[in-house]
Amino acid sequence: MAFKRRYFHALQNQVALLTDVPESTPTPEPFNQSPETASPSTSSALTIADNLTPPTLSSINSLDNSTVYLSFRDLMIRRKQAVLAVCSTILGYLAFYSLYAYLSPHNAHIGDEDVEQARWIATSHSWIDRQACKWFGVCGVAHWRSRMYIGDHSQRQEQNALLESELVSAWTEGKNRPEDWTKDERIMREVPQYVLDYAPLVHLYSGERFWPCDIAEHLFHVTPYLNYTALQARTQNANLTNLDQLNQWNRGRFVYLTSDDNVEELPDWLEGEKNIPDTSDKPIDEGEEAGVAWDGSVIGELLDDTAIREGWYEAGEGGTHGQGGDRHDSASEKLGVPMDTVEGEELLDDLHARAEKSHVGSQVRGGRSDAPAVLIVVDKGNGIVDAFWFYFYSFNLGNVVLNVRFGNHVGDWEHSMVRFQHGKPKAVYFSEHNFGEAYSYEAVEKIGKRPVIYSATGTHAMYATAGIHRYILPLGLLHDMTDKGPLWDPLLNSHTYTYDYLSDTLRSSNITPNAPTQWFYFAGHWGDKFYALNDDRQYRFAGQYHYVNGPLGPRFKNLGRKKVCQGRSTDPCVIKNWIGADGLFKRWRGLGHGNDWNDE
């Protein structure tokens, strides 16, 4: 009897799906309407609906057990076939990509983790686990967990915390005096007003778990490791003014800023909840409604491809090999020279004053986050200026595919870039994982004249619209989600620099002249090295790791790029004049590997 009831409910659900009629079809009470009175457009639908009328429980009870069993088995077989089809598609894609990576290793994205695969597999204490990993690509079965473990806050050990004053002082430890600058030096440190006027605004995801963070606080909670070996005691924290000294170990390449806490217990500094932008004191202009949806209209004239690219599509000489570009420069093998300054008292409030003068828009204003953004302005010559905005998060939560989570890592650098020509914005670049997208300035959403960016939940990838953003895998199995969550105005709390990409020289700007620069030259990773296979937190399936290496810093994002896109100058860079409907874009890889170290 219980079996018949299960079949009855399953069959009712299937019939309900088959008899679902779109709202636009004029078929009120279709099962009570006779075929004679039905309109021609609905008669066929009514005939089908009559044949699919949900069975009653009494009719089910009248069936013999063999009939019910066969029908129920047929239903289960169909479901299994659908699941197998989806799994086959995924495995087929992974197999194809693995073959592509093997045949074209220079074109496929091979991570640092894959280079150490043999040693990584050997760390497992289980013979079965090692063999399953080697022959079937299923690693960590002995301790596999599909989703990230969420620790109980009550079980956490007492955490050290930096006082607010200590965080502020960490960003104001300069050594030189601005009054000693020459006229030429002041010009090189000048951040143009138009860069601030067109500074992006960022919609963080409303259900975000890992918010923006301060790199000064991040450094307080990590210990430098050379691969898996600690380089110093936990009490000897690196800071913004000495981080570059870690490059003495193999040029910093294998140095990882490793969390002092178990990240799966979610310590407060990792989540950054205190850094949620505060919009409570941001007024709305009278008569305007907050949060009015963008209608997708284009403000300004869209030029044809030839005209819009002339003079600014490619600029400068390009970045070097070691920093994500393709320009050979022997000087790039040397560590850059930090340029420190001391902030004069008369400049303390200059950034905030200039931010207030910048028109934010009549509908809504972004809030201030205690986590500072980093602005790096790069002059490419001939009136071309690239303004890079960097946003740091202490943790990246990877996405889930078929209930399996991949791609977690400690430390997360995201960025956007606005390219200017003679003070006018021409294009905006949005970083997304190992790739990104570029749009003409006229096409993107704006508040006032400032571009609007949407940050994806967990991964913090940057998009031009709110919605679901599919990438790599078919059927939307792998996707990011964005929405109109808290609006972050990075301009209200940022540290600004200028950068000479030809000499690899970072200078604190005239706005925040004592902002330290040594952290920029750290050549290692801003998070943990991917956990060994014998670590209970780690697993790998179909070549994808649960935890991967922490990222490299802003210096390795190809700041000297010729094109707007992050990739090499030989890679295509499509600048779109349109925004896709509902944020459903088709994503393609191959826009460069700015996050990777290149030894060429």
Side-chain angles (χ1 to χ4, degrees):
M1 183 63 182
F3 178 77
K4 290 182 178 181
R5 288 181 180 274
R6 287 197 300 271
Y7 168 71
F8 168 71
H9 291 302
L11 189 58
Q12 273 198 325
N13 291 335
Q14 294 298 316
V15 172
L17 291 175
L18 292 172
T19 57
D20 184 21
V21 181
E23 295 180 358
S24 59
T25 305
T27 56
E29 300 181 356
F31 293 104
N32 296 326
Q33 189 175 12
S34 65
E36 292 78 11
T37 59
S39 63
S41 62
T42 61
S43 58
S44 59
L46 289 173
T47 302
I48 296 174
D50 287 336
N51 294 331
L52 293 175
T53 301
T56 63
L57 184 58
S58 59
S59 65
I60 293 295
N61 290 333
S62 66
L63 297 175
D64 59 83
N65 288 335
S66 60
T67 303
V68 173
Y69 174 76
L70 291 174
S71 300
F72 188 76
R73 186 183 67 172
D74 184 60
L75 181 62
M76 292 299 100
I77 289 175
R78 291 180 181 178
R79 289 185 176 181
K80 289 180 179 179
Q81 288 175 340
V83 173
L84 288 175
V86 173
C87 293
S88 299
T89 301
I90 297 173
L91 293 177
Y93 174 83
L94 293 173
F96 173 79
Y97 183 75
S98 298
L99 179 63
Y100 175 73
Y102 176 78
L103 297 176
S104 304
H106 296 291
N107 294 328
H109 182 78
I110 305 299
D112 289 340
E113 299 85 359
D114 299 319
V115 176
E116 304 180 46
Q117 177 176 240
R119 288 195 298 260
W120 181 78
I121 294 176
T123 63
S124 175
H125 302 305
S126 169
W127 180 87
I128 295 178
D129 198 10
R130 293 195 299 270
Q131 299 308 310
C133 185
K134 180 179 180 181
W135 298 105
F136 302 104
V138 181
C139 313
V141 293
H143 52 258
W144 179 80
R145 289 168 295 173
S146 64
R147 291 181 179 268
M148 178 179 175
Y149 167 74
I150 303 298
D152 184 351
H153 287 220
S154 63
Q155 296 177 356
R156 298 178 187 170
Q157 298 179 350
E158 183 177 353
Q159 302 174 22
N160 293 323
L162 282 177
L163 297 176
E164 188 68 26
S165 58
E166 292 180 281
L167 289 177
V168 173
S169 64
W171 285 99
T172 56
E173 296 180 352
K175 300 177 181 178
N176 299 323
R177 300 190 306 170
E179 55 265 30
D180 293 335
W181 294 348
T182 64
K183 181 178 180 181
D184 290 340
E185 184 73 15
R186 290 182 180 276
I187 293 175
M188 287 188 290
R189 297 176 186 266
E190 177 73 26
V191 172
Q193 178 63 40
Y194 59 78
V195 169
L196 306 180
D197 292 339
Y198 294 95
L201 294 161
V202 182
H203 270 296
L204 302 172
Y205 190 72
S206 58
E208 182 61 69
R209 291 293 305 274
F210 300 96
W211 302 92
C213 294
D214 188 335
I215 61 174
E217 183 174 12
H218 183 81
L219 293 177
F220 186 80
H221 295 283
V222 298
T223 298
Y225 274 61
L226 184 60
N227 290 316
Y228 297 108
T229 303
L231 291 174
Q232 60 189 37
R234 290 187 176 184
T235 55
Q236 299 174 326
N237 297 101
N239 57 55
L240 298 176
T241 62
N242 63 17
L243 193 60
D244 61 326
Q245 296 177 13
L246 297 175
N247 293 335
Q248 62 184 294
W249 283 280
N250 199 12
R251 294 173 50 224
R253 176 179 178 181
F254 301 108
V255 176
Y256 295 82
L257 302 181
T258 304
S259 171
D260 294 334
D261 301 289
N262 179 3
V263 297
E264 296 204 346
E265 293 180 356
L266 301 181
D268 292 338
W269 65 270
L270 199 74
E271 295 182 294
E273 187 174 348
K274 67 177 183 179
N275 300 320
I276 299 175
D278 180 15
T279 59
S280 59
D281 59 347
K282 295 298 174 183
I284 308 298
D285 286 358
E286 185 177 357
E288 295 291 342
E289 184 178 352
V292 176
W294 181 56
D295 61 5
S297 59
V298 173
I299 302 175
E301 182 182 1
L302 287 176
L303 305 179
D304 61 79
D305 287 345
T306 302
I308 200 169
R309 295 180 179 186
E310 185 175 356
W312 63 265
Y313 180 69
E314 290 193 20
E317 298 184 20
T320 59
H321 285 299
Q323 297 172 24
D326 52 7
R327 177 170 58 87
H328 177 71
D329 184 5
S330 58
S332 67
E333 299 297 322
K334 301 184 297 182
L335 295 179
V337 181
M339 300 291 291
D340 282 329
T341 62
V342 176
E343 185 168 16
E345 293 183 1
E346 69 280 2
L347 297 175
L348 283 174
D349 299 321
D350 188 49
L351 177 61
H352 298 286
R354 295 172 75 172
E356 289 299 323
K357 290 192 298 182
S358 300
H359 178 66
V360 180
S362 59
Q363 295 180 344
V364 65
R365 292 187 178 182
R368 182 188 186 277
S369 171
D370 287 338
V374 173
L375 168 63
I376 299 178
V377 179
V378 185
D379 190 339
K380 299 293 176 63
N382 298 319
I384 307 300
V385 171
D386 288 345
F388 291 88
W389 290 89
F390 285 93
Y391 319 94
F392 182 77
Y393 304 80
S394 285
F395 192 78
N396 177 100
L397 183 64
N399 276 320
V400 174
V401 180
L402 296 180
N403 205 40
V404 181
R405 190 178 296 279
F406 301 108
N408 294 341
H409 57 82
V410 178
D412 187 22
W413 282 103
E414 302 293 340
H415 77 278
S416 61
M417 186 264 277
V418 182
R419 171 160 289 187
F420 297 89
Q421 182 183 39
H422 303 304
K424 295 182 178 180
K426 294 296 182 179
V428 183
Y429 178 77
F430 301 77
S431 68
E432 303 163 9
H433 307 287
N434 292 321
F435 43 93
E437 288 188 325
Y439 298 87
S440 64
Y441 169 77
E442 289 79 9
V444 300
E445 178 181 352
K446 290 173 279 292
I447 294 179
K449 56 185 177 181
R450 298 176 63 178
V452 175
I453 296 171
Y454 291 87
S455 176
T457 177
T459 68
H460 311 122
M462 318 208 84
Y463 294 94
T465 61
I468 297 176
H469 308 270
R470 304 163 182 162
Y471 63 99
I472 301 179
L473 292 182
L475 305 177
L477 293 173
L478 186 59
H479 62 268
D480 282 321
M481 293 182 62
T482 61
D483 68 8
K484 287 182 176 291
L487 186 62
W488 177 20
D489 186 352
L491 192 60
L492 298 177
N493 183 16
S494 59
H495 301 286
T496 62
Y497 300 87
T498 62
Y499 180 59
D500 185 342
Y501 71 98
L502 294 175
S503 64
D504 192 20
T505 302
L506 184 75
R507 295 179 172 87
S508 54
S509 76
N510 61 311
I511 301 174
T512 56
N514 83 328
T517 59
Q518 290 90 340
W519 64 268
F520 175 81
Y521 293 96
F522 171 56
H525 299 259
W526 284 80
D528 298 20
K529 185 179 178 68
F530 75 118
Y531 300 141
L533 184 54
N534 62 2
D535 192 311
D536 287 347
R537 298 168 293 184
Q538 184 66 295
Y539 56 77
R540 189 185 74 179
F541 174 70
Q544 303 303 310
Y545 295 82
H546 186 209
Y547 280 91
V548 298
N549 290 334
L552 302 178
R555 183 168 172 247
F556 302 94
K557 305 298 184 182
N558 197 7
L559 301 181
R561 67 187 71 169
K562 289 184 178 181
K563 299 177 182 178
V564 175
C565 301
Q566 184 175 335
R568 296 177 173 89
S569 60
T570 54
D571 292 336
C573 179
V574 178
I575 300 178
K576 297 182 179 180
N577 280 336
W578 48 270
I579 298 292
D582 300 325
L584 299 179
F585 305 114
K586 191 169 185 178
R587 310 282 163 182
W588 297 97
R589 301 183 71 128
L591 290 179
H593 310 296
N595 292 347
D596 296 335
W597 188 288
N598 192 321
D599 284 330
E600 295 180 2

